[in-house]
Amino acid sequence: MVRGKTQMKRIENDTSRQVTFSKRRNGLLKKAFELSVLCDAEVALIIFSPRGKLYEFSSSRCYSINKTVERYQKKVKDLGLCSRGMQDNTQQGKDGTIGIQKKLDHLEISKRKLLGDCLDACSVEELNQIENQLDRSLSKIRARKNQLFKEQIEQLREEEKCLLEENNKLRGQCGIEKRGSMRKEDENEVVVTELFIGPPERQTPDKICNT
């Protein structure tokens, strides 16, 4: 015989309700015991009957169910503190984000004022402050610019000095090579003499007289 599906509503008949309570209570206690043994879990079960009778089960043999309840209460308290701490940290994070956004907005407005924008709502005192700030910025910019010019001039002077030294070396090398080539030309000079090959020239009386 197939059992029908139990409707989840209050049983109106007192006898049937008491029988069902007894069966379900025993089954629940059995399941709690099996869970504690099979899974090595700490289980505490508290049941009050419709008439107010207490039924309880504790998996701990050394301690009563009160120890498990105290552990539960402590855990709930710790979780509550952690939750409150998380909420506080979240609120602090939100406040920090809002503060950073305000600073960014203030910096953006200051930048626009330095660029000459959004000056209509500025008072004379604010305009004087902006002017003084710009003067200080220009002084720093000019000082930095002059420093860079001086560094570039010093660098160019060093480069010029190196080039002059290199030029002098090259001139010295060219002078040595020129003197060496002139000596080689002197050594290789050939004396040119007239050489006549043939019978000796006959001397005539005229030539003898002239001699």
Side-chain angles (χ1 to χ4, degrees):
M1 183 176 179
V2 181
R3 295 178 58 184
K5 184 177 181 181
T6 304
Q7 296 180 358
M8 289 294 105
K9 66 178 184 179
R10 183 177 182 274
I11 299 174
E12 299 297 335
N13 186 273
D14 294 340
T15 304
S16 299
R17 186 167 63 248
Q18 183 62 33
V19 172
T20 301
F21 172 77
S22 298
K23 291 182 179 180
R24 297 296 177 98
R25 179 200 64 201
N26 293 334
L28 186 59
L29 291 172
K30 181 180 178 181
K31 292 294 183 182
F33 172 75
E34 292 175 352
L35 178 63
S36 64
V37 173
L38 296 176
C39 302
D40 194 20
E42 184 178 354
V43 181
L45 179 61
I46 299 174
I47 302 174
F48 286 97
S49 68
R51 296 180 181 180
K53 187 177 180 179
L54 173 64
Y55 300 90
E56 64 181 23
F57 168 80
S58 176
S59 61
S60 177
R61 296 179 181 179
C62 299
Y63 305 101
S64 65
I65 194 172
N66 294 331
K67 294 293 183 181
T68 305
V69 173
E70 289 176 2
R71 182 181 179 186
Y72 166 77
Q73 292 175 347
K74 182 179 179 182
K75 190 67 175 179
V76 171
K77 184 178 179 180
D78 293 340
L79 291 175
L81 292 175
C82 292
S83 178
R84 184 178 301 174
M86 292 177 62
Q87 291 177 357
D88 294 339
N89 293 334
T90 303
Q91 186 64 35
Q92 290 178 1
K94 290 181 179 179
D95 296 339
T97 303
I98 295 174
I100 292 173
Q101 187 62 41
K102 289 182 179 179
K103 290 180 180 179
L104 291 175
D105 294 340
H106 180 70
L107 290 174
E108 182 66 23
I109 294 174
S110 299
K111 185 183 73 173
R112 291 182 179 180
K113 290 179 179 179
L114 290 174
L115 293 175
D117 300 330
C118 304
L119 299 177
D120 296 335
C122 293
S123 62
V124 176
E125 184 179 358
E126 291 178 347
L127 292 175
N128 289 329
Q129 291 178 356
I130 295 172
E131 185 178 5
N132 293 331
Q133 187 175 358
L134 288 174
D135 290 337
R136 290 192 297 269
S137 299
L138 287 174
S139 299
K140 293 180 180 179
I141 292 172
R142 292 191 182 100
R144 179 57 181 167
K145 185 178 178 182
N146 293 331
Q147 182 180 358
L148 290 176
F149 281 155
K150 291 179 180 179
E151 292 177 357
Q152 291 179 358
I153 291 172
E154 292 295 330
Q155 184 177 0
L156 292 173
R157 287 177 178 174
E158 291 294 330
E159 293 178 356
E160 182 184 9
K161 182 179 179 181
C162 293
L163 291 174
L164 290 174
E165 292 177 355
E166 187 68 22
N167 191 15
N168 292 331
K169 290 181 181 179
L170 292 175
R171 286 182 177 179
Q173 292 177 0
C174 291
I176 293 172
E177 292 178 357
K178 186 175 181 181
R179 288 194 296 270
S181 62
M182 291 175 64
R183 290 176 181 176
K184 289 181 180 179
E185 289 179 357
D186 294 339
E187 293 175 356
N188 294 330
E189 283 185 355
V190 178
V191 179
V192 180
T193 58
E194 293 183 359
L195 180 61
F196 177 78
I197 300 175
E201 185 179 359
R202 295 179 63 185
Q203 294 182 358
T204 59
D206 295 334
K207 291 183 177 180
I208 292 173
C209 295
N210 291 328
T211 60

